[in-house]
Amino acid sequence: MVLDRTQSGTEAVRPLAPPQPGTVLVHADVGYWDALLATISQLWRRSPPSAVGSYATLVLLAASAAVYTSGTLAWLALAAAFPGIAAVLVVAWVTRSDLARSGGGAPHITYHLCDSGVEIGREGRTDWILWDELWDAAETGRSFLLCPSPGTQYVIPKRYCSGDASRALRTVVDWAGRRRSGDLESERPAAE
């Protein structure tokens, strides 16, 4: 939803028009590393910047103390790094468990994007997500991520995307970003 000024000067809430990615079909084998790196990327994106900065500063100070004391305080650097290492190990274990529960291996997933939403087909199961029901979408260095809810994401590795598919998915990612930020400028006609 975005705010829009009416002629009387009051503000009214209007929905952001859904993206128009066209019709694109992507067939992808989503492996363990695709899922793991996408999950870590989402955790990084969703973490408060102040928390990430504070943790990085703590690890850097502890590592500096270990170097400055010629290794006497090496335990401090290890203790500071432990929560981050433990978090990555937990995410790796959960990702491996999710893939094992779904039959193991790299599941073959078909993504059919159209102007009203995306159809996701996998192992005899089909999910349909309208664009207005999409919680978030993101692009990482390796993948596009479609998130119907905060705890669910579909990974589309870029290596399976044609130029048309990449453009269509970037349209969806851009739309999701504008919807999150409430960007009015991108929805106004050029004549205004």
mmCIF file of all heavy atoms in Angstrom, residues 17-66:
data_model
loop_
_atom_site.group_PDB
_atom_site.id
_atom_site.type_symbol
_atom_site.label_atom_id
_atom_site.label_comp_id
_atom_site.label_asym_id
_atom_site.label_seq_id
_atom_site.Cartn_x
_atom_site.Cartn_y
_atom_site.Cartn_z
ATOM 1 N N ALA A 17 0.262 -1.275 -7.780
ATOM 2 C CA ALA A 17 -0.112 -2.185 -8.868
ATOM 3 C C ALA A 17 0.855 -3.360 -8.911
ATOM 4 O O ALA A 17 2.054 -3.187 -8.705
ATOM 5 C CB ALA A 17 -0.081 -1.440 -10.188
ATOM 6 N N PRO A 18 0.352 -4.570 -9.132
ATOM 7 C CA PRO A 18 1.237 -5.740 -9.172
ATOM 8 C C PRO A 18 2.227 -5.637 -10.327
ATOM 9 O O PRO A 18 1.981 -4.926 -11.300
ATOM 10 C CB PRO A 18 0.294 -6.922 -9.352
ATOM 11 C CG PRO A 18 -1.021 -6.373 -9.695
ATOM 12 C CD PRO A 18 -1.033 -4.926 -9.356
ATOM 13 N N PRO A 19 3.337 -6.365 -10.226
ATOM 14 C CA PRO A 19 4.328 -6.311 -11.307
ATOM 15 C C PRO A 19 3.762 -6.954 -12.571
ATOM 16 O O PRO A 19 2.831 -7.744 -12.513
ATOM 17 C CB PRO A 19 5.493 -7.132 -10.753
ATOM 18 C CG PRO A 19 4.854 -8.101 -9.826
ATOM 19 C CD PRO A 19 3.702 -7.353 -9.209
ATOM 20 N N GLN A 20 4.313 -6.624 -13.688
ATOM 21 C CA GLN A 20 3.912 -7.202 -14.975
ATOM 22 C C GLN A 20 5.143 -7.872 -15.597
ATOM 23 O O GLN A 20 5.731 -7.349 -16.548
ATOM 24 C CB GLN A 20 3.366 -6.111 -15.896
ATOM 25 C CG GLN A 20 2.157 -5.378 -15.355
ATOM 26 C CD GLN A 20 0.945 -6.286 -15.235
ATOM 27 O OE1 GLN A 20 0.572 -6.979 -16.158
ATOM 28 N NE2 GLN A 20 0.343 -6.289 -14.056
ATOM 29 N N PRO A 21 5.538 -9.043 -15.061
ATOM 30 C CA PRO A 21 6.767 -9.678 -15.555
ATOM 31 C C PRO A 21 6.611 -10.391 -16.894
ATOM 32 O O PRO A 21 7.587 -10.860 -17.462
ATOM 33 C CB PRO A 21 7.097 -10.685 -14.455
ATOM 34 C CG PRO A 21 5.776 -11.049 -13.883
ATOM 35 C CD PRO A 21 4.949 -9.784 -13.955
ATOM 36 N N GLY A 22 5.386 -10.494 -17.408
ATOM 37 C CA GLY A 22 5.167 -11.268 -18.622
ATOM 38 C C GLY A 22 5.057 -12.746 -18.249
ATOM 39 O O GLY A 22 4.885 -13.096 -17.087
ATOM 40 N N THR A 23 5.161 -13.618 -19.226
ATOM 41 C CA THR A 23 5.070 -15.051 -18.977
ATOM 42 C C THR A 23 6.434 -15.683 -19.217
ATOM 43 O O THR A 23 6.983 -15.569 -20.315
ATOM 44 C CB THR A 23 4.022 -15.692 -19.901
ATOM 45 O OG1 THR A 23 2.758 -15.070 -19.634
ATOM 46 C CG2 THR A 23 3.905 -17.175 -19.651
ATOM 47 N N VAL A 24 6.967 -16.310 -18.174
ATOM 48 C CA VAL A 24 8.298 -16.909 -18.229
ATOM 49 C C VAL A 24 8.262 -18.241 -17.501
ATOM 50 O O VAL A 24 7.605 -18.378 -16.463
ATOM 51 C CB VAL A 24 9.349 -15.983 -17.558
ATOM 52 C CG1 VAL A 24 10.723 -16.616 -17.565
ATOM 53 C CG2 VAL A 24 9.394 -14.640 -18.231
ATOM 54 N N LEU A 25 8.987 -19.209 -18.022
ATOM 55 C CA LEU A 25 9.086 -20.520 -17.408
ATOM 56 C C LEU A 25 10.553 -20.789 -17.080
ATOM 57 O O LEU A 25 11.423 -20.608 -17.935
ATOM 58 C CB LEU A 25 8.566 -21.580 -18.379
ATOM 59 C CG LEU A 25 8.258 -22.955 -17.838
ATOM 60 C CD1 LEU A 25 7.184 -22.899 -16.764
ATOM 61 C CD2 LEU A 25 7.809 -23.869 -18.968
ATOM 62 N N VAL A 26 10.831 -21.181 -15.825
ATOM 63 C CA VAL A 26 12.194 -21.496 -15.397
ATOM 64 C C VAL A 26 12.188 -22.894 -14.781
ATOM 65 O O VAL A 26 11.406 -23.167 -13.874
ATOM 66 C CB VAL A 26 12.715 -20.474 -14.352
ATOM 67 C CG1 VAL A 26 14.118 -20.847 -13.893
ATOM 68 C CG2 VAL A 26 12.676 -19.056 -14.891
ATOM 69 N N HIS A 27 13.059 -23.767 -15.289
ATOM 70 C CA HIS A 27 13.248 -25.105 -14.717
ATOM 71 C C HIS A 27 14.576 -25.078 -13.980
ATOM 72 O O HIS A 27 15.606 -24.725 -14.567
ATOM 73 C CB HIS A 27 13.303 -26.168 -15.819
ATOM 74 C CG HIS A 27 12.035 -26.275 -16.602
ATOM 75 N ND1 HIS A 27 10.948 -26.965 -16.138
ATOM 76 C CD2 HIS A 27 11.682 -25.773 -17.810
ATOM 77 C CE1 HIS A 27 9.982 -26.890 -17.029
ATOM 78 N NE2 HIS A 27 10.396 -26.160 -18.050
ATOM 79 N N ALA A 28 14.577 -25.436 -12.686
ATOM 80 C CA ALA A 28 15.796 -25.343 -11.888
ATOM 81 C C ALA A 28 15.953 -26.558 -10.975
ATOM 82 O O ALA A 28 14.971 -27.084 -10.460
ATOM 83 C CB ALA A 28 15.766 -24.071 -11.044
ATOM 84 N N ASP A 29 17.193 -26.976 -10.806
ATOM 85 C CA ASP A 29 17.538 -27.977 -9.796
ATOM 86 C C ASP A 29 18.171 -27.204 -8.650
ATOM 87 O O ASP A 29 19.272 -26.664 -8.796
ATOM 88 C CB ASP A 29 18.513 -29.014 -10.363
ATOM 89 C CG ASP A 29 17.884 -29.859 -11.451
ATOM 90 O OD1 ASP A 29 16.695 -30.198 -11.311
ATOM 91 O OD2 ASP A 29 18.573 -30.172 -12.441
ATOM 92 N N VAL A 30 17.468 -27.126 -7.531
ATOM 93 C CA VAL A 30 17.916 -26.315 -6.399
ATOM 94 C C VAL A 30 18.643 -27.226 -5.412
ATOM 95 O O VAL A 30 18.023 -28.045 -4.742
ATOM 96 C CB VAL A 30 16.726 -25.605 -5.726
ATOM 97 C CG1 VAL A 30 17.208 -24.764 -4.561
ATOM 98 C CG2 VAL A 30 15.992 -24.745 -6.734
ATOM 99 N N GLY A 31 19.950 -27.084 -5.346
ATOM 100 C CA GLY A 31 20.769 -27.939 -4.505
ATOM 101 C C GLY A 31 20.998 -27.383 -3.112
ATOM 102 O O GLY A 31 20.522 -26.293 -2.755
ATOM 103 N N TYR A 32 21.762 -28.127 -2.336
ATOM 104 C CA TYR A 32 22.059 -27.766 -0.952
ATOM 105 C C TYR A 32 22.722 -26.398 -0.858
ATOM 106 O O TYR A 32 22.317 -25.566 -0.050
ATOM 107 C CB TYR A 32 22.948 -28.842 -0.319
ATOM 108 C CG TYR A 32 23.465 -28.464 1.044
ATOM 109 C CD1 TYR A 32 22.609 -28.452 2.137
ATOM 110 C CD2 TYR A 32 24.790 -28.100 1.233
ATOM 111 C CE1 TYR A 32 23.069 -28.094 3.395
ATOM 112 C CE2 TYR A 32 25.252 -27.746 2.484
ATOM 113 C CZ TYR A 32 24.396 -27.743 3.555
ATOM 114 O OH TYR A 32 24.849 -27.389 4.798
ATOM 115 N N TRP A 33 23.747 -26.155 -1.670
ATOM 116 C CA TRP A 33 24.459 -24.880 -1.575
ATOM 117 C C TRP A 33 23.580 -23.709 -1.995
ATOM 118 O O TRP A 33 23.683 -22.618 -1.432
ATOM 119 C CB TRP A 33 25.756 -24.918 -2.393
ATOM 120 C CG TRP A 33 26.781 -25.759 -1.705
ATOM 121 C CD1 TRP A 33 27.186 -27.011 -2.056
ATOM 122 C CD2 TRP A 33 27.484 -25.432 -0.506
ATOM 123 N NE1 TRP A 33 28.097 -27.483 -1.153
ATOM 124 C CE2 TRP A 33 28.307 -26.529 -0.189
ATOM 125 C CE3 TRP A 33 27.498 -24.322 0.340
ATOM 126 C CZ2 TRP A 33 29.138 -26.540 0.926
ATOM 127 C CZ3 TRP A 33 28.330 -24.339 1.450
ATOM 128 C CH2 TRP A 33 29.131 -25.429 1.734
ATOM 129 N N ASP A 34 22.717 -23.937 -2.984
ATOM 130 C CA ASP A 34 21.776 -22.877 -3.376
ATOM 131 C C ASP A 34 20.889 -22.495 -2.193
ATOM 132 O O ASP A 34 20.717 -21.324 -1.877
ATOM 133 C CB ASP A 34 20.882 -23.345 -4.534
ATOM 134 C CG ASP A 34 21.661 -23.632 -5.805
ATOM 135 O OD1 ASP A 34 22.548 -22.829 -6.135
ATOM 136 O OD2 ASP A 34 21.361 -24.648 -6.448
ATOM 137 N N ALA A 35 20.317 -23.513 -1.539
ATOM 138 C CA ALA A 35 19.410 -23.268 -0.413
ATOM 139 C C ALA A 35 20.148 -22.658 0.772
ATOM 140 O O ALA A 35 19.653 -21.725 1.409
ATOM 141 C CB ALA A 35 18.736 -24.569 -0.003
ATOM 142 N N LEU A 36 21.345 -23.178 1.072
ATOM 143 C CA LEU A 36 22.108 -22.667 2.218
ATOM 144 C C LEU A 36 22.510 -21.209 2.020
ATOM 145 O O LEU A 36 22.287 -20.366 2.903
ATOM 146 C CB LEU A 36 23.349 -23.532 2.455
ATOM 147 C CG LEU A 36 24.276 -23.066 3.578
ATOM 148 C CD1 LEU A 36 23.563 -23.098 4.919
ATOM 149 C CD2 LEU A 36 25.540 -23.910 3.619
ATOM 150 N N LEU A 37 23.088 -20.892 0.878
ATOM 151 C CA LEU A 37 23.529 -19.510 0.637
ATOM 152 C C LEU A 37 22.353 -18.548 0.573
ATOM 153 O O LEU A 37 22.458 -17.403 1.030
ATOM 154 C CB LEU A 37 24.379 -19.443 -0.628
ATOM 155 C CG LEU A 37 25.722 -20.190 -0.526
ATOM 156 C CD1 LEU A 37 26.432 -20.184 -1.875
ATOM 157 C CD2 LEU A 37 26.605 -19.596 0.557
ATOM 158 N N ALA A 38 21.222 -18.999 0.044
ATOM 159 C CA ALA A 38 20.032 -18.142 0.012
ATOM 160 C C ALA A 38 19.528 -17.866 1.424
ATOM 161 O O ALA A 38 19.152 -16.734 1.751
ATOM 162 C CB ALA A 38 18.946 -18.799 -0.819
ATOM 163 N N THR A 39 19.542 -18.880 2.288
ATOM 164 C CA THR A 39 19.079 -18.698 3.664
ATOM 165 C C THR A 39 20.005 -17.758 4.431
ATOM 166 O O THR A 39 19.544 -16.867 5.150
ATOM 167 C CB THR A 39 18.973 -20.058 4.376
ATOM 168 O OG1 THR A 39 18.081 -20.888 3.630
ATOM 169 C CG2 THR A 39 18.466 -19.899 5.792
ATOM 170 N N ILE A 40 21.300 -17.949 4.266
ATOM 171 C CA ILE A 40 22.263 -17.054 4.939
ATOM 172 C C ILE A 40 22.091 -15.628 4.431
ATOM 173 O O ILE A 40 22.117 -14.666 5.215
ATOM 174 C CB ILE A 40 23.702 -17.565 4.754
ATOM 175 C CG1 ILE A 40 23.896 -18.849 5.572
ATOM 176 C CG2 ILE A 40 24.724 -16.506 5.163
ATOM 177 C CD1 ILE A 40 25.195 -19.567 5.315
ATOM 178 N N SER A 41 21.873 -15.478 3.124
ATOM 179 C CA SER A 41 21.651 -14.145 2.559
ATOM 180 C C SER A 41 20.421 -13.483 3.160
ATOM 181 O O SER A 41 20.436 -12.291 3.498
ATOM 182 C CB SER A 41 21.493 -14.257 1.040
ATOM 183 O OG SER A 41 21.082 -13.037 0.500
ATOM 184 N N GLN A 42 19.328 -14.248 3.309
ATOM 185 C CA GLN A 42 18.104 -13.693 3.896
ATOM 186 C C GLN A 42 18.327 -13.298 5.354
ATOM 187 O O GLN A 42 17.840 -12.260 5.804
ATOM 188 C CB GLN A 42 16.947 -14.686 3.788
ATOM 189 C CG GLN A 42 16.385 -14.800 2.397
ATOM 190 C CD GLN A 42 15.665 -13.544 1.967
ATOM 191 O OE1 GLN A 42 16.231 -12.448 1.883
ATOM 192 N NE2 GLN A 42 14.401 -13.694 1.679
ATOM 193 N N LEU A 43 19.033 -14.133 6.106
ATOM 194 C CA LEU A 43 19.322 -13.779 7.505
ATOM 195 C C LEU A 43 20.127 -12.491 7.564
ATOM 196 O O LEU A 43 19.877 -11.635 8.413
ATOM 197 C CB LEU A 43 20.073 -14.918 8.202
ATOM 198 C CG LEU A 43 19.265 -16.169 8.495
ATOM 199 C CD1 LEU A 43 20.172 -17.282 9.017
ATOM 200 C CD2 LEU A 43 18.159 -15.878 9.492
ATOM 201 N N TRP A 44 21.080 -12.355 6.690
ATOM 202 C CA TRP A 44 21.921 -11.146 6.643
ATOM 203 C C TRP A 44 21.075 -9.922 6.299
ATOM 204 O O TRP A 44 21.187 -8.878 6.927
ATOM 205 C CB TRP A 44 23.022 -11.338 5.604
ATOM 206 C CG TRP A 44 23.976 -10.206 5.521
ATOM 207 C CD1 TRP A 44 23.952 -9.177 4.632
ATOM 208 C CD2 TRP A 44 25.094 -9.967 6.368
ATOM 209 N NE1 TRP A 44 24.983 -8.308 4.864
ATOM 210 C CE2 TRP A 44 25.711 -8.775 5.926
ATOM 211 C CE3 TRP A 44 25.641 -10.634 7.454
ATOM 212 C CZ2 TRP A 44 26.837 -8.245 6.526
ATOM 213 C CZ3 TRP A 44 26.768 -10.106 8.039
ATOM 214 C CH2 TRP A 44 27.347 -8.927 7.591
ATOM 215 N N ARG A 45 20.194 -10.040 5.292
ATOM 216 C CA ARG A 45 19.330 -8.929 4.880
ATOM 217 C C ARG A 45 18.363 -8.508 5.971
ATOM 218 O O ARG A 45 18.042 -7.334 6.105
ATOM 219 C CB ARG A 45 18.489 -9.328 3.649
ATOM 220 C CG ARG A 45 19.190 -9.331 2.349
ATOM 221 C CD ARG A 45 18.258 -9.689 1.183
ATOM 222 N NE ARG A 45 17.195 -8.716 1.052
ATOM 223 C CZ ARG A 45 15.901 -9.020 1.069
ATOM 224 N NH1 ARG A 45 15.498 -10.252 1.200
ATOM 225 N NH2 ARG A 45 14.988 -8.079 0.936
ATOM 226 N N ARG A 46 17.849 -9.484 6.722
ATOM 227 C CA ARG A 46 16.803 -9.194 7.702
ATOM 228 C C ARG A 46 17.345 -8.829 9.076
ATOM 229 O O ARG A 46 16.583 -8.408 9.940
ATOM 230 C CB ARG A 46 15.872 -10.397 7.829
ATOM 231 C CG ARG A 46 15.098 -10.646 6.554
ATOM 232 C CD ARG A 46 14.220 -11.844 6.672
ATOM 233 N NE ARG A 46 13.594 -12.147 5.400
ATOM 234 C CZ ARG A 46 12.902 -13.231 5.170
ATOM 235 N NH1 ARG A 46 12.735 -14.119 6.127
ATOM 236 N NH2 ARG A 46 12.369 -13.446 3.990
ATOM 237 N N SER A 47 18.640 -8.993 9.289
ATOM 238 C CA SER A 47 19.226 -8.637 10.585
ATOM 239 C C SER A 47 19.335 -7.125 10.694
ATOM 240 O O SER A 47 19.694 -6.457 9.721
ATOM 241 C CB SER A 47 20.619 -9.249 10.727
ATOM 242 O OG SER A 47 20.552 -10.635 10.715
ATOM 243 N N PRO A 48 19.065 -6.593 11.874
ATOM 244 C CA PRO A 48 19.226 -5.145 12.042
ATOM 245 C C PRO A 48 20.687 -4.747 11.826
ATOM 246 O O PRO A 48 21.589 -5.389 12.362
ATOM 247 C CB PRO A 48 18.823 -4.895 13.497
ATOM 248 C CG PRO A 48 18.110 -6.132 13.931
ATOM 249 C CD PRO A 48 18.584 -7.246 13.073
ATOM 250 N N PRO A 49 20.929 -3.721 11.017
ATOM 251 C CA PRO A 49 22.311 -3.315 10.740
ATOM 252 C C PRO A 49 23.108 -3.005 12.006
ATOM 253 O O PRO A 49 24.300 -3.290 12.071
ATOM 254 C CB PRO A 49 22.161 -2.058 9.878
ATOM 255 C CG PRO A 49 20.808 -2.176 9.279
ATOM 256 C CD PRO A 49 19.969 -2.914 10.278
ATOM 257 N N SER A 50 22.461 -2.454 13.019
ATOM 258 C CA SER A 50 23.190 -2.134 14.244
ATOM 259 C C SER A 50 23.657 -3.404 14.955
ATOM 260 O O SER A 50 24.746 -3.442 15.523
ATOM 261 C CB SER A 50 22.327 -1.297 15.179
ATOM 262 O OG SER A 50 21.142 -2.001 15.505
ATOM 263 N N ALA A 51 22.861 -4.467 14.904
ATOM 264 C CA ALA A 51 23.254 -5.726 15.534
ATOM 265 C C ALA A 51 24.430 -6.360 14.796
ATOM 266 O O ALA A 51 25.384 -6.845 15.407
ATOM 267 C CB ALA A 51 22.075 -6.692 15.584
ATOM 268 N N VAL A 52 24.373 -6.344 13.476
ATOM 269 C CA VAL A 52 25.460 -6.907 12.676
ATOM 270 C C VAL A 52 26.738 -6.100 12.896
ATOM 271 O O VAL A 52 27.815 -6.667 13.089
ATOM 272 C CB VAL A 52 25.078 -6.940 11.175
ATOM 273 C CG1 VAL A 52 26.256 -7.347 10.313
ATOM 274 C CG2 VAL A 52 23.904 -7.883 10.952
ATOM 275 N N GLY A 53 26.610 -4.776 12.878
ATOM 276 C CA GLY A 53 27.778 -3.923 13.099
ATOM 277 C C GLY A 53 28.381 -4.105 14.483
ATOM 278 O O GLY A 53 29.602 -4.156 14.639
ATOM 279 N N SER A 54 27.534 -4.214 15.493
ATOM 280 C CA SER A 54 28.028 -4.415 16.859
ATOM 281 C C SER A 54 28.749 -5.751 16.991
ATOM 282 O O SER A 54 29.817 -5.832 17.607
ATOM 283 C CB SER A 54 26.870 -4.374 17.864
ATOM 284 O OG SER A 54 26.253 -3.120 17.837
ATOM 285 N N TYR A 55 28.179 -6.794 16.389
ATOM 286 C CA TYR A 55 28.814 -8.109 16.469
ATOM 287 C C TYR A 55 30.153 -8.113 15.722
ATOM 288 O O TYR A 55 31.153 -8.626 16.226
ATOM 289 C CB TYR A 55 27.892 -9.201 15.905
ATOM 290 C CG TYR A 55 28.528 -10.561 15.935
ATOM 291 C CD1 TYR A 55 28.754 -11.213 17.156
ATOM 292 C CD2 TYR A 55 28.937 -11.189 14.766
ATOM 293 C CE1 TYR A 55 29.359 -12.454 17.183
ATOM 294 C CE2 TYR A 55 29.538 -12.429 14.794
ATOM 295 C CZ TYR A 55 29.751 -13.057 16.006
ATOM 296 O OH TYR A 55 30.365 -14.285 16.039
ATOM 297 N N ALA A 56 30.191 -7.507 14.534
ATOM 298 C CA ALA A 56 31.433 -7.441 13.769
ATOM 299 C C ALA A 56 32.502 -6.659 14.531
ATOM 300 O O ALA A 56 33.678 -7.043 14.552
ATOM 301 C CB ALA A 56 31.182 -6.820 12.405
ATOM 302 N N THR A 57 32.101 -5.583 15.187
ATOM 303 C CA THR A 57 33.040 -4.790 15.989
ATOM 304 C C THR A 57 33.583 -5.610 17.157
ATOM 305 O O THR A 57 34.787 -5.580 17.444
ATOM 306 C CB THR A 57 32.359 -3.508 16.510
ATOM 307 O OG1 THR A 57 31.894 -2.756 15.382
ATOM 308 C CG2 THR A 57 33.305 -2.670 17.333
ATOM 309 N N LEU A 58 32.711 -6.348 17.820
ATOM 310 C CA LEU A 58 33.131 -7.197 18.935
ATOM 311 C C LEU A 58 34.143 -8.243 18.481
ATOM 312 O O LEU A 58 35.184 -8.441 19.125
ATOM 313 C CB LEU A 58 31.918 -7.886 19.569
ATOM 314 C CG LEU A 58 32.231 -8.906 20.662
ATOM 315 C CD1 LEU A 58 32.716 -8.195 21.914
ATOM 316 C CD2 LEU A 58 31.018 -9.759 20.941
ATOM 317 N N VAL A 59 33.883 -8.916 17.365
ATOM 318 C CA VAL A 59 34.806 -9.931 16.855
ATOM 319 C C VAL A 59 36.139 -9.291 16.462
ATOM 320 O O VAL A 59 37.213 -9.826 16.764
ATOM 321 C CB VAL A 59 34.184 -10.696 15.671
ATOM 322 C CG1 VAL A 59 35.198 -11.596 14.990
ATOM 323 C CG2 VAL A 59 32.981 -11.518 16.145
ATOM 324 N N LEU A 60 36.081 -8.130 15.804
ATOM 325 C CA LEU A 60 37.302 -7.438 15.407
ATOM 326 C C LEU A 60 38.127 -7.017 16.623
ATOM 327 O O LEU A 60 39.352 -7.187 16.649
ATOM 328 C CB LEU A 60 36.960 -6.213 14.555
ATOM 329 C CG LEU A 60 38.144 -5.414 14.024
ATOM 330 C CD1 LEU A 60 38.968 -6.278 13.081
ATOM 331 C CD2 LEU A 60 37.651 -4.177 13.302
ATOM 332 N N LEU A 61 37.482 -6.490 17.656
ATOM 333 C CA LEU A 61 38.201 -6.101 18.874
ATOM 334 C C LEU A 61 38.817 -7.315 19.569
ATOM 335 O O LEU A 61 39.959 -7.257 20.045
ATOM 336 C CB LEU A 61 37.268 -5.357 19.831
ATOM 337 C CG LEU A 61 36.864 -3.947 19.408
ATOM 338 C CD1 LEU A 61 35.809 -3.391 20.361
ATOM 339 C CD2 LEU A 61 38.085 -3.037 19.367
ATOM 340 N N ALA A 62 38.068 -8.408 19.625
ATOM 341 C CA ALA A 62 38.597 -9.621 20.261
ATOM 342 C C ALA A 62 39.775 -10.189 19.473
ATOM 343 O O ALA A 62 40.782 -10.620 20.057
ATOM 344 C CB ALA A 62 37.490 -10.665 20.388
ATOM 345 N N ALA A 63 39.685 -10.165 18.134
ATOM 346 C CA ALA A 63 40.798 -10.647 17.309
ATOM 347 C C ALA A 63 42.013 -9.732 17.466
ATOM 348 O O ALA A 63 43.156 -10.209 17.549
ATOM 349 C CB ALA A 63 40.377 -10.731 15.854
ATOM 350 N N SER A 64 41.773 -8.420 17.534
ATOM 351 C CA SER A 64 42.872 -7.470 17.745
ATOM 352 C C SER A 64 43.545 -7.697 19.096
ATOM 353 O O SER A 64 44.776 -7.638 19.209
ATOM 354 C CB SER A 64 42.366 -6.030 17.665
ATOM 355 O OG SER A 64 41.833 -5.766 16.397
ATOM 356 N N ALA A 65 42.741 -7.966 20.115
ATOM 357 C CA ALA A 65 43.302 -8.248 21.451
ATOM 358 C C ALA A 65 44.145 -9.512 21.413
ATOM 359 O O ALA A 65 45.217 -9.576 22.044
ATOM 360 C CB ALA A 65 42.179 -8.392 22.474
ATOM 361 N N ALA A 66 43.713 -10.524 20.672
ATOM 362 C CA ALA A 66 44.486 -11.767 20.575
ATOM 363 C C ALA A 66 45.814 -11.512 19.879
ATOM 364 O O ALA A 66 46.853 -12.027 20.313
ATOM 365 C CB ALA A 66 43.686 -12.827 19.821
#
